[in-house]
Amino acid sequence: MIVREGKSVFKGVAIGKIFVYKKAENAVTKETITDVDAELARFEEAKAKAMEQLKRLYEKALRDVGEEEAMIFDVHQMLLDDLDYNESITNIIKEEKMNAEYAVFMTCEQFMGMFLGMDDEYMRGRAADIEDISKRVISILNGTQVSPEAMPEPVIIVAEDLAPSETVQFDKSKILAIVIQKGSANSHTAILARTMNIPSLVTTDIEVDTKYNGRTAVVDGFAGLFYINPDDETMAKMVEKKKRADEQRALLQEMRGKETVTKSGKHIHLYSNIGGVQDVDAVLENDSEGIGLFRSEFLYLGRDDYPTEDEQFEAYKTVLARMQGKKVIIRTLDIGADKQADYFGIPKEENPALGFRAIRICLTREDVFRTQLRALLRASAFGNLGIMFPMIISVKEIVRIKEIVDEVKLELDREDIAYGNFELGIMIETPAAAVISDLLAPHVDFFSIGTNDLSQYTLAIDRQNQSLDNFFDPHHEAILRLIQLTIENAHKSGAWCGICGELGADMEVTARFIQMGIDELSVSPGYTLELRKRIREC
């Protein structure tokens, strides 16, 4: 038995097989072959496997985000089956007697060059698609592919680290737990794990090696322990611990349908944080009163180009419709810092957390911003929408945002496109915004306090830096005072104020937030019923 220790980011017990996720290393070597037929067979087998993966990805995207978003995987299947592409690869194998990996690599280079040399922007964009399918085939050929869609069954994922763009690609129904060698309890990957309601460990003392693939393991999210090949005694204890945890979770079902109200009669709006359409099931299962944070940036991650207006509209509309009139607050694009998408072309920054991100991108790339706003406003006709803007630091930004919103409304009016009523709010994530919240409040309907960034900026501690975890104190009095100030200033101007950061689910400070006068708490769906119970006890 091997025992490793990590930092728990979601409590619970998971038992299952290990799936080691490693980024493929696609170094291609040029080798002369002697058996041409065998090499052609290797290529055909790898191509068939790649095609099957692309079909599964298409079906998953179709379920999660709609037909237009899924079309990219349909395009990849067509390119992989393209006659010229395949003839080039087989000719290199047959005539030059080169290995399949090299043949795919050379064909990829040739086709990318051809597409990039075209005048048509759409065709130039196909170069990235050719590169994607070629890397997929090469990684299958050289045995380095360990991709999200390759998971055979529900598993415990072990990885060095996971970027948000990687995490969103996993089939959530196949994840029992996540164990990360690096990471931080405050990283977006940890936040996603909490959203998925699965036991998860970060900063785990574990070697990320494929030799662990398929081994039986246990993640104890209560104690922060990871057992590999547990002995009979340990397994028996963990099975019993999991049983007790499941029973406790079942008891919380008594909170379903009950009001989120304190003993003195104060009602707190209890909402959920989500990353996409696929998370709405968890929101409904946990009886949330609404959605307090829809992280729209996940529509932009894990893809090769900007989502279209219609793609976004369908996603927003679906969520609003499924929530059946309950409040849905969608945060506009928050790309930057640890959430990167290559096609944005953001230059490398020395300190990305303080750099070109969120509303700063939107106000300097208004075409991207307006596309999202059009989709949001169109979707507002189908439910109870709130739109909030991240990383605000000045009144000037809000004024410009509202001007653009008005311009988009006029565009839709001219095109005779319907939209409904909606609230406008901002995130309070910087000390600057909290300090001048009295000046910001008259311009908005609500504040939502993002305690994750507010904490890191107030304490001057990078929340992604695991070596600083011991210095990171989310209960620091400076943070709590900024929250108190923000709530008071919101109420003075008739705005409501909520918390959508991870601190909202911290039961140790729930009573204090209520005393401060908080109106709303938005947390990962898995915390909803437990937090409702805590509020009802206050």
Side-chain angles (χ1 to χ4, degrees), residues 454-467:
L454 182 62
S455 298
Q456 82 164 338
Y457 294 136
T458 303
L459 302 180
I461 291 178
D462 180 0
R463 61 190 177 98
Q464 306 291 331
N465 189 336
Q466 64 192 64
S467 64

Side-chain angles (χ1 to χ4, degrees), residues 121 146 195 229 243 405 461 516:
E121 185 176 348
V146 189
T195 299
N229 293 336
K243 180 183 175 183
V405 170
I461 291 178
M516 289 179 181

Side-chain angles (χ1 to χ4, degrees), residues 71-112:
M71 283 304 295
I72 183 64
F73 299 112
D74 199 37
V75 170
H76 282 195
Q77 290 177 63
M78 288 189 288
L79 288 172
L80 184 57
D81 216 23
D82 179 75
L83 183 61
D84 292 335
Y85 178 79
N86 282 269
E87 278 188 355
S88 173
I89 293 169
T90 55
N91 284 342
I92 292 173
I93 295 172
K94 288 177 181 177
E95 297 171 14
E96 300 181 31
K97 291 186 170 50
M98 290 291 123
N99 57 314
E101 291 91 336
Y102 180 75
V104 175
F105 173 76
M106 290 305 297
T107 298
C108 174
E109 292 290 298
Q110 175 191 340
F111 274 66
M112 282 182 66

Side-chain angles (χ1 to χ4, degrees), residues 87-147:
E87 278 188 355
S88 173
I89 293 169
T90 55
N91 284 342
I92 292 173
I93 295 172
K94 288 177 181 177
E95 297 171 14
E96 300 181 31
K97 291 186 170 50
M98 290 291 123
N99 57 314
E101 291 91 336
Y102 180 75
V104 175
F105 173 76
M106 290 305 297
T107 298
C108 174
E109 292 290 298
Q110 175 191 340
F111 274 66
M112 282 182 66
M114 177 183 70
F115 281 120
L116 289 171
M118 293 181 177
D119 293 330
D120 183 76
E121 185 176 348
Y122 174 82
M123 295 307 294
R124 285 200 304 273
R126 301 289 67 77
D129 297 325
I130 285 290
E131 183 178 33
D132 191 292
I133 62 168
S134 299
K135 283 182 176 179
R136 183 179 294 274
V137 174
I138 290 170
S139 65
I140 294 170
L141 283 165
N142 63 23
T144 60
Q145 188 194 52
V146 189
S147 60

Side-chain angles (χ1 to χ4, degrees), residues 209-500:
D209 194 315
T210 52
K211 69 183 181 184
Y212 294 122
N213 266 331
R215 295 195 189 186
T216 299
V218 177
V219 175
D220 183 350
F222 294 99
L225 295 174
F226 183 42
Y227 300 93
I228 302 172
N229 293 336
D231 57 35
D232 292 342
E233 183 183 355
T234 301
M235 180 61 87
K237 286 180 179 177
M238 288 299 104
V239 168
E240 180 60 28
K241 194 169 188 176
K242 184 177 187 304
K243 180 183 175 183
R244 290 199 306 270
D246 291 344
E247 288 172 350
Q248 184 62 35
R249 191 171 293 114
L251 285 174
L252 286 173
Q253 295 301 309
E254 295 176 5
M255 291 293 108
R256 291 180 59 86
K258 293 189 176 181
E259 279 192 291
T260 308
V261 60
T262 66
K263 287 184 174 180
S264 58
K266 178 175 173 56
H267 180 259
I268 305 295
H269 293 287
L270 185 52
Y271 295 163
S272 286
N273 300 334
I274 68 169
V277 177
Q278 68 279 2
D279 296 327
V280 176
D281 287 340
V283 175
L284 298 174
E285 286 166 12
N286 288 280
D287 195 36
S288 286
E289 297 174 27
I291 292 170
L293 171 62
F294 180 158
R295 299 182 177 94
S296 70
E297 58 272 16
F298 287 102
L299 295 174
Y300 294 75
L301 296 173
R303 52 183 296 146
D304 300 321
D305 203 355
Y306 298 97
T308 66
E309 177 184 327
D310 284 341
E311 285 175 326
Q312 294 186 66
F313 165 69
E314 288 297 333
Y316 306 147
K317 173 187 171 184
T318 299
V319 173
L320 283 160
R322 290 199 63 195
M323 291 305 292
Q324 298 183 332
K326 293 180 178 180
K327 176 72 74 178
V328 175
I329 299 173
I330 301 177
R331 177 175 70 189
T332 58
L333 176 63
D334 190 13
I335 287 290
D338 66 323
K339 292 173 286 185
Q340 296 289 335
D342 291 343
Y343 60 89
F344 272 79
I346 299 173
K348 184 173 176 58
E349 299 173 296
E350 288 296 322
N351 195 338
L354 300 179
F356 192 51
R357 59 174 295 196
I359 202 64
R360 297 165 187 176
I361 294 176
C362 292
L363 291 179
T364 50
R365 298 185 181 179
E366 286 192 12
D367 56 332
V368 176
F369 193 33
R370 287 173 184 273
T371 297
Q372 181 171 34
L373 288 174
R374 283 179 59 93
L376 285 166
L377 266 61
R378 287 170 57 195
S380 68
F382 296 88
N384 184 2
L385 176 66
I387 305 171
M388 68 178 176
F389 306 96
M391 287 297 292
I392 298 297
I393 60 170
S394 70
V395 172
K396 180 175 67 175
E397 291 168 334
I398 302 176
V399 170
R400 181 57 189 146
I401 288 166
K402 293 177 79 172
E403 288 174 351
I404 296 172
V405 170
D406 286 341
E407 290 165 9
V408 170
K409 287 168 73 174
L410 284 173
E411 285 178 14
L412 295 176
D413 287 338
R414 284 195 296 268
E415 297 169 33
D416 199 26
I417 296 175
Y419 55 88
N421 296 319
F422 51 88
E423 286 189 321
L424 293 180
I426 61 170
M427 293 194 69
I428 303 294
E429 300 173 276
T430 65
V435 170
I436 64 164
S437 52
D438 59 326
L439 303 178
L440 302 173
H443 297 272
V444 297
D445 299 304
F446 67 91
F447 287 154
S448 189
I449 303 171
T451 55
N452 306 336
D453 273 329
L454 182 62
S455 298
Q456 82 164 338
Y457 294 136
T458 303
L459 302 180
I461 291 178
D462 180 0
R463 61 190 177 98
Q464 306 291 331
N465 189 336
Q466 64 192 64
S467 64
L468 297 176
D469 278 356
N470 290 334
F471 294 93
F472 188 82
D473 177 14
H475 298 168
H476 195 289
E477 190 62 28
I479 298 167
L480 296 175
R481 290 185 186 185
L482 288 174
I483 293 172
Q484 175 79 72
L485 177 66
T486 301
I487 295 170
E488 289 174 357
N489 284 332
H491 291 167
K492 285 176 186 175
S493 290
W496 62 266
C497 185
I499 293 175
C500 65

